[in-house]
Amino acid sequence: MNAVFYIAAAVAAVSTIMVVSRSNAVYSLLYLIVSLLSVALIFFVLGAPFIAALEVIIYAGAIMVLFVFTIMMLNLGPQTAEQERKWLSGRAWAGPSILVAILMAEMLYVLWGGDHQVEGRHIVEPKEVSVALYGPYVMIVELSSMLLLGGLVAAYHLGRRVHGDGKEQQP
Amino acid sequence: MLMLPEIIVVVTAMAVLVADLFLTERLRMGVTWLSLAGLAVAAGAVFATPMNGSMFGGQFVVDAVGWWFKLFFVISGFFTVLLSMDLLHGRTTCRMRGIGSPGEYYTVLLFTISGMMYLVSARDMVLLYVSLELATIPLFALAAWRREDIRSGEAGLKYVIVGALASAFILYGLGLIYGLTGQISLDAARVLKGSPAFWFAAAMLTAGIGFKLTLVPFHLWAADVFEGAPMPITAYLSVASKGTGLAFMFQLFFRMMGGWVHDWALMIALFAAVTMTLGNCVAIVQHNIKRFMAFSAISHAGVFIMGFLGPHDYGVPAMLFYLLAYIASTLALFAGIVWYSNETGRETIRDYRGLSRTNPLMALAMMLALFSLAGIPPLSGFVGKFFLFSVAAGAGFHWLVGIAAVNSTIALYNYLRIVREMYIEPVHEDGPAAPASWSLSITTAVLTTALVLLGIIPFFYNAINGSTIAWLSAVLPH
């Protein structure tokens, strides 16, 4: 079953190299999604299906779609619509599609064919993850929540608009 | 209650955030009082906590070194609030736009302080990393706090990018160490044998620490970030961020990889020599006082890491004492700089000309602080440098002591440039009109007294030395 791990790792490495070497932001994002999906598959074969699901839902799902939307929405107007069509031409999809097809084949193999994990790994269920988070690692969870609150407060300040008269406006 | 100081700081941060919602514009000063009171109580709580003990199954440990670091962080946070209050509440002659929102500012500042305090107590890698992020991510926003100013935004952006790069290095290094030991406890890594993966991890961690501590060649972000950040945050960056870097280096190089500490003495000595020399030489040509202070901070980073050269039971107390002297001197100097920038909005060194005639007391305080940073006896900066140099000499790095002595001379020239402007040059025709506000006056008076007394009265060094040596001799590998 180690072969599944190595193939997924290779896909992750290749797609991440493509992320940083593309000059077009949309191409980079497509490869980044592939990279995150392959990391999710790695988590899955290492015996952490819950983390794999989170990786897909949060990173490849929510955050990346948000990125793509933001980049596309920043460019409005007819000429950018033309540009977007060019961005998402068939060629742009080819590379990510091939890599995703490899991941898909691996996933189907893992689900229906072979073992579910790398040898000697213990499968970590969601319940165990939560017990660990709110048991021995509760301080880390609390610190992370403070980090998020601090970041939120700072982002609120930096994102607030200032009028011409210097009065601050609530967002 | 070992965690009491941290809890007080965090609760104060939350209380400031909530109080800010309900206070009217007239009572907005309340958030400042709340922050100052919270930090003062936290300092008292640090004193009340014992110097040893552990919580959460050994994840959170207080020992003598962590105890002193926490005290220093709380003190520097307290004086940063005092330095910031005039600017935040618009009580300056030179109004700065877009700096407001004191409630959010203090909340974010208090969060960084709590992150630093957790950092020195953390005993596992994940907690160490999360608390490091808690100490630095809000700092990115503080550097960019002046939304109107394009330089402030640039400072924030550069700090974010470099900080993220440093975090990536640190995570990679920690990940490799975890891969080698299979445990996240910092102590588990003490038994590691030298292998390529271990050395690779150590190199990654060194690079990450170098970014945080502004060691050459990882220092490039410092000047731009210091220049763009609001003035009190520049002061905070130069003391608290340096303290965090040192605490982080102590955690990794001493606790985690303690068994190897003799093997990279040469590397640390080389870093110290290059960092001191470049920092001082580049400071010669700086005209902006914030950039000047950035390079001064870089050169001091080189002095600090001499404490890691060993013999270690003397290196660490010497480093802690110099950190205390450095905090007092730098913040005393910044009180003068913040006052000058509040009143006139200018920040080049030439602008300080003739300050000794218009405001002799402030000029005297700034001169004492500059002399202390340069290391002139009997001020505390001299004593601190003396101990660190003797640590380096004791470890056999006589060439490094030679380089450090030459660097002290260059640094003295640099700092004397400001003294010359203040005492010899003719008076600036458009100098500050108002005297320093009470908060800046108190900061200057307390810190200037401290930087003189720390050097003269041996009690402070004895206290640090006595409490840390007993602890260090118990844990050090012999």
Side-chain angles (χ1 to χ4, degrees):
Chain A
M1 200 70 317
N2 287 348
V4 175
F5 169 81
Y6 284 117
I7 295 171
V11 171
V14 169
S15 56
T16 311
I17 289 170
M18 296 300 271
V19 171
V20 290
S21 62
R22 295 306 90 186
S23 56
N24 188 322
V26 176
Y27 292 8
S28 288
L29 285 173
L30 289 177
Y31 279 110
L32 189 51
I33 295 174
V34 178
S35 166
L36 294 167
L37 287 175
S38 50
V39 172
L41 189 63
I42 290 174
F43 276 131
F44 187 80
V45 295
L46 284 178
F50 181 61
I51 309 297
L54 284 186
E55 180 90 14
V56 173
I57 295 169
I58 296 174
Y59 282 99
I63 294 181
M64 291 321 301
V65 169
L66 205 66
F67 262 135
V68 175
F69 267 163
T70 316
I71 286 184
M72 296 231 160
M73 278 170 65
L74 285 177
N75 311 296
L76 295 174
Q79 76 271 33
T80 48
E82 180 58 33
Q83 198 183 7
E84 273 168 25
R85 210 166 298 131
K86 242 188 301 171
W87 277 350
L88 289 181
S89 63
R91 271 222 338 260
W93 290 101
S97 307
I98 294 170
L99 293 176
V100 162
I102 297 174
L103 290 180
M104 182 79 180
E106 280 195 314
M107 199 179 77
L108 292 176
Y109 172 68
V110 168
L111 286 182
W112 276 297
D115 302 328
H116 282 237
Q117 51 179 355
V118 173
E119 281 126 59
R121 288 281 163 185
H122 157 71
I123 295 183
V124 183
E125 298 294 336
K127 187 179 169 191
E128 275 179 79
V129 175
S130 357
V131 168
L133 279 185
Y134 289 93
Y137 300 126
V138 67
M139 202 161 62
I140 294 165
V141 175
E142 291 301 323
L143 273 189
S144 313
S145 70
M146 280 192 266
L147 177 60
L148 289 177
L149 180 62
L152 192 68
V153 172
Y156 170 78
H157 168 80
L158 293 179
R160 197 154 38 172
R161 282 226 189 98
V162 180
H163 277 309
D165 56 0
K167 281 262 163 57
E168 289 185 348
Q169 185 195 31
Q170 303 298 319
Chain B
M1 274 307 284
L2 280 177
M3 213 194 269
L4 192 62
E6 285 86 352
I7 291 176
I8 291 174
V9 173
V10 170
V11 168
T12 313
M14 307 279 188
V16 167
L17 188 62
V18 175
D20 188 48
L21 292 176
F22 296 105
L23 289 176
T24 57
E25 205 53 50
R26 206 165 51 83
L27 294 174
R28 193 48 60 85
M29 276 300 281
V31 292
T32 307
W33 299 122
L34 199 55
S35 316
L36 286 176
L39 284 169
V41 175
V46 173
F47 269 109
T49 47
M51 279 199 192
N52 57 60
S54 73
M55 284 173 85
F56 286 102
Q59 283 181 332
F60 182 94
V61 177
V62 180
D63 55 34
V65 177
W67 192 93
W68 284 104
F69 265 121
K70 283 183 194 180
L71 190 63
F72 297 164
F73 291 144
V74 174
I75 289 173
S76 34
F78 183 83
F79 285 109
T80 308
V81 173
L82 277 178
L83 292 183
S84 315
M85 55 191 289
D86 292 334
L87 198 59
L88 285 175
H89 294 283
R91 299 189 309 181
T92 57
T93 312
C94 178
R95 285 295 178 88
M96 196 170 285
R97 290 187 57 200
I99 182 87
S101 336
E104 286 94 340
Y105 179 95
Y106 292 134
T107 307
V108 171
L109 186 72
L110 288 164
F111 272 131
T112 67
I113 296 168
S114 74
M116 292 165 190
M117 294 167 79
Y118 277 110
L119 177 85
V120 284
S121 277
R123 286 297 181 282
D124 76 51
M125 293 181 205
V126 185
L127 188 59
L128 185 73
Y129 177 73
V130 173
S131 50
L132 179 73
E133 292 299 299
L134 181 60
T136 50
I137 286 183
L139 266 181
F140 302 155
L142 285 176
W145 206 255
R146 285 161 61 186
R147 287 164 312 195
E148 302 275 290
D149 185 1
I150 194 160
R151 283 186 311 163
S152 189
E154 181 195 339
L157 187 63
K158 280 187 177 161
Y159 201 9
V160 167
I161 292 173
V162 173
L165 184 65
S167 295
F169 275 122
I170 291 168
L171 270 184
Y172 204 171
L174 291 178
L176 281 172
I177 298 261
Y178 173 68
L180 289 172
T181 60
Q183 284 172 305
I184 59 169
S185 159
L186 287 186
D187 296 329
R190 293 187 84 98
V191 295
L192 281 178
K193 300 276 182 294
S195 62
F198 174 76
W199 293 115
F200 192 56
M204 288 284 174
L205 291 173
T206 311
I209 293 168
F211 279 116
K212 300 285 175 201
L213 200 54
T214 63
L215 297 179
V216 176
F218 308 108
H219 66 287
L220 288 166
W221 58 276
D224 290 334
V225 173
F226 275 49
E227 187 187 0
M231 196 62 93
I233 294 305
T234 311
Y236 186 64
L237 279 174
S238 55
V239 293
S241 153
K242 193 108 330 183
T244 315
L246 275 180
F248 191 61
M249 184 165 175
F250 179 81
Q251 291 275 44
L252 290 182
F253 272 64
F254 221 92
R255 280 204 237 280
M256 194 165 102
M257 305 187 282
W260 299 89
V261 88
H262 297 286
D263 295 294
W264 34 58
L266 180 64
M267 177 194 79
I268 291 175
L270 286 174
F271 267 127
V274 176
T275 307
M276 275 190 282
T277 314
L278 189 123
N280 280 320
C281 291
V282 179
I284 296 176
V285 292
Q286 300 302 323
H287 298 293
N288 183 303
I289 189 116
K290 282 165 142 180
R291 292 186 81 86
F292 176 83
M293 289 310 291
F295 285 103
S296 157
I298 291 173
S299 69
H300 277 96
V303 179
F304 279 124
I305 59 169
M306 287 164 84
F308 286 98
L309 290 173
H312 291 283
D313 35 355
Y314 289 96
V316 174
M319 180 187 78
L320 282 174
F321 179 75
Y322 192 53
L323 183 61
L324 181 60
Y326 173 79
I327 288 175
S329 314
T330 309
L331 287 180
L333 180 60
F334 263 107
I337 298 174
V338 166
W339 163 70
Y340 200 92
S341 127
N342 280 353
E343 295 306 320
T344 64
R346 287 189 299 263
E347 41 191 58
T348 57
I349 292 175
R350 278 289 293 157
D351 286 324
Y352 287 82
R353 59 180 184 270
L355 195 66
S356 65
R357 261 89 72 193
T358 54
N359 203 319
L361 276 177
M362 193 56 108
L364 178 70
M366 285 176 75
M367 185 180 75
L368 282 174
L370 286 165
F371 280 168
S372 174
L373 284 176
I376 293 197
L379 302 169
S380 57
F382 164 75
V383 186
K385 271 191 183 167
F386 175 79
F387 287 132
L388 281 172
F389 288 7
S390 58
V391 166
F397 289 96
H398 294 107
W399 58 270
L400 179 63
V401 179
I403 291 178
V406 173
N407 266 296
S408 295
T409 322
I410 306 175
L412 181 62
Y413 167 78
N414 284 334
Y415 295 125
L416 278 177
R417 272 171 62 208
I418 303 179
V419 176
R420 175 171 160 270
E421 295 291 347
M422 290 194 300
Y423 277 85
I424 297 177
E425 294 293 312
V427 176
H428 196 298
E429 58 284 353
D430 192 18
S437 65
W438 64 264
S439 58
L440 291 180
S441 307
I442 288 180
T443 312
T444 316
V446 170
L447 290 173
T448 315
T449 317
L451 75 89
V452 175
L453 289 185
L454 283 174
I456 296 173
I457 302 179
F459 165 76
F460 301 98
Y461 181 72
N462 280 344
I464 295 179
N465 203 17
S467 58
T468 45
I469 273 195
W471 174 77
L472 280 166
S473 54
V475 296
L476 270 183
H478 286 291

